[in-house]
Amino acid sequence: MQQPVSDKESRKQVIKEVIRRLHAGATPEEMTSRFGQVLHGVSATEIAQIEQELIEEGLPREEVHRLCDVHLAVFRESLAAGDTLAPAGHPINTFMEEHRIMLAQAQGLATLAQEIQNAGQVSREDRKRLEDAAQQIRDAESHYVREENVLFPYLEKHGITQPPAIMWMEHDQIREVKKGVLGVIGRHDEMPASEFAEGLAAAAVTLAETLAGHFFKENNILYPTSLRVITEEEWPEIRAECDELGYAPFTPEMPPAQLRHEV
């Protein structure tokens, strides 16, 4: 039986090697026992640093992005975080609350598609709900803009460059998925209700799955890393910059003064 790796640098090298083996075709099941030992006590910051180092050593960013979905399946238990990483009013708390609501909205859209399918028609009420859903999807852009223009630059200032780059790449993928959902919603009067409902359900499920994977990575890797490397004095600055960019209607707003007392 292999002994747990205790030395931090050795542990880092082992994790790099396991990720490379996944890249070479090893299955998560084959690596699970080894990951379970190595990940004991590994922080989210270490994982983010390891991903960055792999890219700097020549592994293409796109490959690290593809591997995220694989190795996060193995990291999931080790990386599981509590429901709350920061107090209400803190930018991280707001980002995570937005995650919860956006995912619920995507799942609600899938439910609406099923209701339309069962009814065999798009009612006047359904049209209103579709319009509201489309507006929510558009409004959600505020979330990604604040991350890209405020949070990511602060991380980069502290030397965390590759994880934000990977998340930004996923943001662009999410935008394409959202565009597809909006396209389906916009055609609700151009096709039979059953055909529309089927297309809407598929698009909504794709959106929900895409968001769930992305949000898991941010909640369990990017945000804990942010809380570790960004200084206490910088968080009120981040909150103020987020306030300047504005929020989507579903974002709970707290006064900056309260944030300064709580951070």
Side-chain angles (χ1 to χ4, degrees):
M1 183 171 113
Q2 294 175 317
Q3 294 299 314
V5 179
S6 57
D7 178 74
K8 181 178 179 179
E9 187 59 33
S10 297
R11 187 171 64 229
K12 184 184 297 183
Q13 293 305 317
V14 171
I15 293 176
K16 286 184 180 180
E17 177 59 27
V18 175
I19 292 176
R20 289 193 181 97
R21 290 184 185 180
L22 287 169
H23 173 58
T27 67
E29 291 74 21
E30 293 170 341
M31 299 289 102
T32 296
S33 60
R34 184 55 170 161
F35 265 107
Q37 294 175 338
V38 176
L39 284 177
H40 180 70
V42 176
S43 70
T45 303
E46 281 186 75
I47 292 172
Q49 290 172 341
I50 290 168
E51 290 184 345
Q52 181 166 324
E53 289 177 16
L54 284 170
I55 292 172
E56 291 171 352
E57 291 170 8
L59 189 61
R61 180 179 297 161
E62 292 76 11
E63 287 298 316
V64 173
H65 169 253
R66 186 177 63 82
L67 288 170
C68 280
D69 294 326
V70 179
H71 69 244
L72 274 173
V74 185
F75 289 158
R76 190 174 299 271
E77 182 176 350
S78 178
L79 291 178
D83 291 338
T84 303
L85 295 179
H90 192 291
I92 293 300
N93 182 286
T94 299
F95 284 136
M96 293 183 72
E97 178 68 6
E98 289 173 330
H99 283 178
R100 184 187 67 79
I101 295 172
M102 285 190 284
L103 187 56
Q105 289 171 344
Q107 294 168 334
L109 194 57
T111 300
L112 174 57
Q114 184 60 55
E115 292 173 2
I116 293 172
Q117 181 75 52
N118 293 341
Q121 64 178 357
V122 180
S123 68
R124 179 178 300 179
E125 181 183 351
D126 292 336
R127 288 187 176 87
K128 179 61 169 63
R129 292 169 67 187
L130 289 168
E131 291 173 4
D132 291 344
Q135 190 59 50
Q136 289 170 347
I137 290 171
R138 297 186 190 98
D139 289 339
E141 180 63 17
S142 165
H143 171 87
Y144 306 108
V145 169
R146 275 181 278 113
E147 284 190 335
E148 293 166 357
N149 291 279
V150 182
L151 181 63
F152 291 0
Y154 275 87
L155 284 169
E156 291 163 357
K157 184 172 76 172
H158 288 280
I160 307 297
T161 59
Q162 296 301 338
I166 292 172
M167 293 300 98
W168 199 322
M169 183 167 63
E170 291 198 0
H171 286 182
D172 289 339
Q173 293 174 344
I174 290 169
R175 288 178 175 119
E176 288 302 310
V177 174
K178 287 165 56 179
K179 188 184 299 183
V181 175
L182 291 173
V184 173
I185 292 175
R187 296 193 300 272
H188 69 272
D189 282 332
E190 302 174 8
M191 60 181 75
S194 59
E195 183 180 338
F196 167 72
E198 184 177 343
L200 179 62
V205 168
T206 297
L207 177 60
E209 290 177 347
T210 303
L211 293 179
H214 177 72
F215 294 165
F216 179 85
K217 296 167 194 174
E218 289 196 330
N219 287 358
N220 292 282
I221 297 179
L222 192 76
Y223 295 162
T225 298
S226 301
L227 290 169
R228 182 166 299 194
V229 303
I230 294 174
T231 68
E232 192 171 313
E233 293 73 24
E234 288 172 315
W235 284 110
E237 299 172 9
I238 292 173
R239 171 58 200 257
E241 292 180 33
C242 286
D243 288 348
E244 288 180 9
L245 287 174
Y247 299 91
F250 55 72
T251 302
E253 296 194 34
M254 301 287 287
Q258 182 171 353
L259 170 63
R260 286 196 292 271
H261 287 307
E262 290 183 331
V263 172

